[in-house]
Amino acid sequence: MAGGFVSQTPGVRNYNYKLTPKVFVTCFIGAFGGLIFGYDLGISGGVTSMEPFLEEFFPYVHKKMKSAHENEYCRFDSQLLTLFTSSLYVAALISSLFASTITRVFGRKWSMFLGGFTFFIGSAFNGFAQNIAMLLIGRILLGFGVGFANQSVPVYLSEMAPPNLRGAFNNGFQVAIIFGIVVATIINYFTAQMKGNIGWRISLGLACVPAVMIMIGALILPDTPNSLIERGYSEEAKKMLQSIRGTDEVDEEFQDLIDASEESKQVKHPWRNILLPRYRPQLIMTCFIPFFQQLTGINVITFYAPVLFQTLGFGSKASLLSAMVTGIIELLCTFVSVFTVDRFGRRVLFLQGGIQMLISQIAIGAMIGVKFGVAGTGNIGKGDANLIVALICIYVAGFAWSWGPLGWLVPSEISPLEIRSAAQAINVSVNMFFTFLVAQLFLTMLCHMKFGLFFFFAFFVVIMTIFIYLMLPETKNVPIEEMNRVWKAHWFWGRFIPDEAVNMGAAEMQQKSV
Ligand code: BGC
């Protein structure tokens, strides 16, 4: 495939590369990193709605779930139960901070390997869990794994990909996440029908499969040219660049990478640097994009779709089936983003997806409100319940081609090398923190805010859509090391980027700014 759409920002260089089998295969394997995250996202909701699991570890919730008098909105409200889901994200938050150093010093692939390894141990703890402590320790280990993988994989993909196809490649991460979710929901569907404790053990224990896939993947993957240069292997980096770009004519890109690395080496403190005014756009974006991604409310669906569907009066099997359907829709719709993100750009997808999510959330909230009212009692007819599932699918589709993949793509492509690992660490930890909050608070919020919860998330979707419209410049086809020109040309961010920044090295810039 010939590359080279013309960038919209004046002065930005366009490299013209073909898609080589090597880069395709490498990124395909690299994207496995998303599987562990996805598998976990998809498995916990189903497991927490399985009766034998609740009986074994959360008998109080189990009793409440069975009670005919319980308010529908509050059936599953238990801090301990949500802690099971959310503890993983706290661990991921913490580990992403260490992972940033490992990713920088030892390369992206070793960070992925470590991610797979800790995830593997965590899956064993969970599969064989005898008590809550074992469950939680397992979850924490899984979280460490997710933190390492989420830190390194998006950066790996963005650096490997030809600039003109970076969006599509990076979206491979999200495809893998959703694939992991779908596989997990299918497994849950079958294991939920098993008698006794074996079902949930299989669901949790099978997390070892994606873990092994990443470990093997990481062992055979080459490191990115950027990382090789960063660690002093310039010759190897050039050969790697030539082989992944499928041509010997890589001098221009190679020189850009060398320059970027030289500059970044002189910049000693990525964490202090990112606070400098000239990196304000990256700092704000890497904080706000993951924050907003979580405030779309997507994980209410991801984690608790089976619980939510049971709340709507579906049987346990029908709930798991509906969760599977929403997962498959999400997977298919993520491909829309893969095929359009480098053509139409990030902004169009963000804005269109935002509007679609907004409309469907309002409709879902209104329907649940009408049917269950504030008291949370009542029954919902089959037709209405199906309509709600359809609306949830429309909402999920909107997320799947906008905030889902772009929430990972944009933060990983906007930062220059000298702050990249710090920026990605912020991105992952903010994402994990709000994933944790939503996971921890959702069931309580549903219990107290009732159908208003959907309006709560809709409100944030309005804010984030306006934010993107005003603050995010288009970054499609812009080589990562040339991103400064895009900020410079932006109506608001331009004031933070000194004129020389588009031509001058980071080290010189730092001296000027201090
Ligand atoms: C988000 C997750 C979400 C997943 C699937 C990812 O991009 O970061 O929080 O669960 O998409 O919807």
Side-chain angles (χ1 to χ4, degrees):
M1 193 194 316
F5 303 108
V6 178
S7 158
Q8 291 165 336
T9 311
V12 169
R13 254 202 285 270
N14 280 294
Y15 309 117
N16 203 18
Y17 290 124
K18 291 181 299 204
L19 172 59
T20 63
K22 175 153 185 175
V23 81
F24 182 79
V25 172
T26 311
C27 288
F28 183 80
I29 299 174
F32 284 178
L35 285 179
I36 55 172
F37 183 34
Y39 188 83
D40 186 79
L41 288 164
I43 212 76
S44 29
V47 167
T48 49
S49 72
M50 289 181 195
E51 287 196 34
F53 177 81
L54 291 176
E55 253 175 315
E56 177 86 14
F57 297 111
F58 305 94
Y60 161 76
V61 184
H62 183 245
K63 219 166 105 209
K64 205 154 88 143
M65 175 184 158
K66 291 268 146 206
S67 150
H69 305 298
E70 192 59 52
N71 178 327
E72 290 294 341
Y73 293 118
C74 302
R75 250 171 212 268
F76 291 89
D77 180 19
S78 151
Q79 291 300 314
L80 201 58
L81 180 63
T82 40
L83 195 63
F84 167 75
T85 302
S86 62
S87 53
L88 185 149
Y89 300 96
V90 179
L93 187 167
I94 296 167
S95 77
S96 66
L97 301 176
F98 300 113
S100 90
T101 309
I102 296 197
T103 308
R104 183 162 42 89
V105 178
F106 297 103
R108 288 50 173 147
K109 60 183 265 171
W110 290 111
S111 194
M112 289 188 220
F113 182 84
L114 217 64
F117 182 70
T118 38
F119 200 83
F120 182 81
I121 310 276
S123 64
F125 262 88
N126 270 348
F128 295 108
Q130 301 299 324
N131 46 44
I132 293 204
M134 270 183 91
L135 264 190
L136 290 185
I137 292 173
R139 296 289 294 169
I140 289 168
L141 288 168
L142 297 178
F144 280 140
V146 168
F148 274 97
N150 286 11
Q151 163 76 22
S152 46
V153 176
V155 172
Y156 184 88
L157 297 176
S158 284
E159 290 181 344
M160 275 294 188
N164 48 308
L165 295 172
R166 189 178 56 237
F169 273 75
N170 191 288
N171 284 2
F173 180 61
Q174 180 73 6
V175 171
I177 295 178
I178 314 292
F179 186 73
I181 295 178
V182 171
V183 171
T185 50
I186 295 174
I187 290 175
N188 273 344
Y189 180 71
F190 290 106
T191 56
Q193 297 169 41
M194 296 176 169
K195 294 268 171 289
N197 274 331
I198 188 74
W200 62 263
R201 285 196 191 283
I202 294 181
S203 285
L204 295 180
L206 278 181
C208 68
V209 176
V212 169
M213 284 170 73
I214 297 168
M215 283 195 281
I216 296 175
L219 288 179
I220 55 179
L221 284 179
D223 235 324
T224 65
N226 318 49
S227 172
L228 287 168
I229 294 174
E230 197 176 30
R231 289 178 292 131
Y233 303 107
S234 300
E235 296 235 323
E236 288 85 340
K238 185 155 189 187
K239 288 203 190 98
M240 177 59 61
L241 198 59
Q242 287 168 333
S243 90
I244 57 176
R245 300 292 182 245
T247 167
D248 287 346
E249 328 264 289
V250 294
D251 289 353
E252 213 177 349
E253 186 182 7
F254 184 66
Q255 197 51 50
D256 274 354
L257 297 183
I258 292 277
D259 291 348
S261 165
E262 284 305 312
E263 291 156 12
S264 74
K265 273 198 191 119
Q266 297 172 44
V267 178
K268 293 280 180 292
H269 309 284
W271 286 97
R272 205 166 67 196
N273 275 323
I274 200 166
L275 300 176
L276 294 174
R278 67 163 297 206
Y279 299 116
R280 201 53 40 88
Q282 288 92 341
L283 180 66
I284 301 289
M285 288 295 159
T286 39
C287 290
F288 274 89
I289 290 184
F291 163 73
F292 281 140
Q293 190 205 49
Q294 289 309 312
L295 267 288
T296 57
I298 186 65
N299 281 327
V300 165
I301 307 296
T302 320
F303 295 135
Y304 299 118
V307 170
L308 190 70
F309 290 133
Q310 285 199 33
T311 304
L312 291 175
F314 287 29
S316 158
K317 213 166 145 188
S319 299
L320 290 172
L321 198 65
S322 314
M324 219 155 85
V325 171
T326 52
I328 291 171
I329 302 252
E330 189 169 1
L331 181 62
L332 295 178
C333 293
T334 306
F335 281 101
V336 173
S337 182
V338 171
F339 292 114
T340 57
V341 68
D342 292 315
R343 191 170 296 269
F344 300 145
R346 286 63 166 144
R347 281 171 57 85
V348 172
L349 292 176
F350 264 129
L351 299 177
Q352 190 285 334
I355 294 169
Q356 184 167 326
M357 286 191 292
L358 176 66
I359 295 171
S360 40
Q361 271 168 328
I362 292 177
I364 296 168
M367 276 203 70
I368 298 185
V370 168
K371 295 294 160 193
F372 286 127
V374 180
T377 48
N379 268 323
I380 198 159
K382 205 160 180 243
D384 287 334
N386 287 340
L387 186 58
I388 294 183
V389 175
L391 284 169
I392 290 180
C393 289
I394 295 175
Y395 160 77
V396 161
F399 176 85
W401 56 62
S402 62
W403 282 90
L406 302 181
W408 294 103
L409 167 64
V410 172
S412 78
E413 70 178 2
I414 56 174
S415 291
L417 196 57
E418 65 270 16
I419 55 162
R420 192 168 306 154
S421 50
Q424 183 64 5
I426 295 176
N427 177 37
V428 178
S429 22
V430 173
N431 195 309
M432 293 302 129
F433 179 70
F434 286 98
T435 307
F436 159 77
L437 268 195
V438 171
Q440 186 63 30
L441 297 183
F442 165 67
L443 292 175
T444 308
M445 282 165 88
L446 180 66
C447 182
H448 294 281
M449 293 172 77
K450 309 179 166 66
F451 59 88
L453 185 60
F454 292 91
F455 300 138
F456 169 83
F457 287 121
F459 166 77
F460 279 98
V461 173
V462 173
I463 306 282
M464 68 186 79
T465 307
I466 296 174
F467 175 81
I468 293 293
Y469 180 75
L470 294 176
M471 306 307 263
L472 185 75
E474 184 53 65
T475 52
K476 75 168 178 183
N477 302 331
V478 180
I480 304 191
E481 314 307 341
E482 298 252 315
M483 211 54 87
N484 256 340
R485 294 178 196 274
V486 175
W487 299 115
K488 184 71 199 160
H490 186 263
W491 70 273
F492 180 76
W493 299 121
R495 74 192 69 179
F496 293 99
I497 314 292
D499 290 339
E500 318 86 83
V502 280
N503 307 315
M504 191 187 266
E508 292 164 77
M509 282 309 309
Q510 189 194 14
Q511 277 161 15
K512 284 202 147 228
S513 331
V514 187

